[in-house]
Amino acid sequence: MFELPSIWNLVISTIVFFMAAKYLHRILEDYGLPKGMVRGALVFSLASLVSWGSGEMVDWSQDKISGSHSTIEASDGVSQLLKLVDQKQSVRQN
């Protein structure tokens, strides 16, 4: 089931993305790959993969430390929110 990432996931993966992009840019510059869309797309895609992986490791370690949180709680909150929205819409129609 889809689950929103944690704040730590977002923070760490953003930092890792920029670090990986800078490192990959420097590596590809040393290899002699000319500046352009190919190098930019390669840096972006590889930095995105590294960033995603680091975010997944953050979530995995957080689950190991604090235990797996139940997705039933999240769906219960969504159902309560939908009921509240439905009630407000029925009040507006009357």
Side-chain angles (χ1 to χ4, degrees):
M1 181 170 196
F2 179 72
E3 189 174 308
L4 291 175
S6 66
I7 293 296
W8 284 113
N9 180 331
L10 295 173
V11 170
I12 298 295
S13 64
T14 301
I15 292 169
V16 168
F17 175 82
F18 287 111
M19 290 173 56
K22 186 173 184 173
Y23 178 75
L24 289 166
H25 179 74
R26 207 171 9 165
I27 292 278
L28 293 176
E29 182 86 25
D30 290 343
Y31 282 156
L33 192 65
K35 259 186 178 176
M37 283 195 55
V38 172
R39 186 169 86 178
L42 187 60
V43 167
F44 176 76
S45 60
L46 290 175
S48 294
L49 286 173
V50 170
S51 172
W52 174 78
S54 69
E56 286 297 315
M57 285 192 296
V58 167
D59 280 346
W60 177 80
S61 63
Q62 204 169 27
D63 283 346
K64 287 292 181 186
I65 292 170
S66 65
S68 179
H69 51 280
S70 176
T71 56
I72 294 172
E73 294 173 9
S75 66
D76 186 41
V78 171
S79 65
Q80 289 178 355
L81 180 64
L82 290 174
K83 287 178 185 177
L84 180 65
V85 169
D86 188 40
Q87 287 175 357
K88 286 187 178 185
Q89 286 179 352
S90 64
V91 169
R92 286 184 185 173
Q93 290 175 355
N94 290 334

